[in-house]
Amino acid sequence: MRGLPGSGKSYWVEQYLKSLPLASAFAVKQRGYFSTDSLFYVNGEYRFNKNKLSQYHQLNLTGFIQALANREPTVICDNTNLARWEYAAYEAAASALGYQVRHVLVGEPSDVQHQQLCAKRNQHGLDFNQIKRMAAVFEID
């Protein structure tokens, strides 16, 4: 998954999971769905700590690779993935283990209306200027 905060990446995943048979959706949600953001939730509340960001990204990647090694049929990385280097290790691991890699870009990062929407609905408290800065460095494949 790729997209600005608030673009709808997690919503896209939810809709995808709803399209699967219940057992498959449950398996993906329990053993094949990885989001660094999820590690910042404490008792249902998002508590970002920049000092833990690097550690949590590593934990997320480690879990993702473990799911691949366990041959989970579908493994999803739901991060912003603004730049190629941010998802290169995920892609390399999946490819090396024989998985088909699919990039899903949600929204158009360069579109100002999309940026405004992301600023309104992101769950991280990012304002329009912060979203705009992120959009400026977003690499399109």
Side-chain angles (χ1 to χ4, degrees):
M1 300 304 302
R2 299 191 66 210
L4 296 169
S7 63
K9 296 177 302 298
S10 298
Y11 178 78
W12 188 97
V13 172
E14 287 176 26
Q15 297 310 302
Y16 169 72
L17 293 176
K18 286 180 182 178
S19 75
L20 298 176
L22 187 58
S24 297
F26 183 77
V28 172
K29 189 74 172 166
Q30 293 300 308
R31 300 185 304 272
Y33 180 56
F34 298 89
S35 168
T36 300
D37 270 346
S38 69
L39 300 172
F40 287 102
Y41 281 90
V42 179
N43 297 323
E45 183 181 329
Y46 185 76
R47 296 185 188 166
F48 180 76
N49 179 342
K50 71 176 183 173
N51 296 324
K52 294 193 179 243
L53 187 59
S54 180
Q55 174 190 357
Y56 285 1
H57 273 303
Q58 188 59 49
L59 284 171
N60 196 63
L61 176 60
T62 300
F64 182 91
I65 292 171
Q66 186 62 54
L68 298 173
N70 290 341
R71 305 304 307 159
E72 292 297 332
T74 302
V75 185
I76 298 170
C77 172
D78 179 6
N79 287 343
T80 55
N81 294 310
L82 301 178
R84 178 151 181 68
W85 69 265
E86 293 177 312
Y87 61 89
Y90 292 90
E91 184 175 53
S95 294
L97 290 169
Y99 280 77
Q100 177 184 5
V101 176
R102 179 176 176 204
H103 298 189
V104 176
L105 173 61
V106 179
E108 177 50 58
S110 64
D111 181 73
V112 175
Q113 286 182 319
H114 178 68
Q115 294 168 14
Q116 290 169 338
L117 179 63
C118 291
K120 287 179 187 171
R121 67 181 186 193
N122 80 83
Q123 298 178 347
H124 312 299
L126 300 174
D127 65 25
F128 175 67
N129 287 327
Q130 292 168 303
I131 294 290
K132 192 174 174 181
R133 283 193 295 275
M134 293 176 86
V137 298
F138 201 100
E139 294 178 5
I140 302 294
D141 289 337

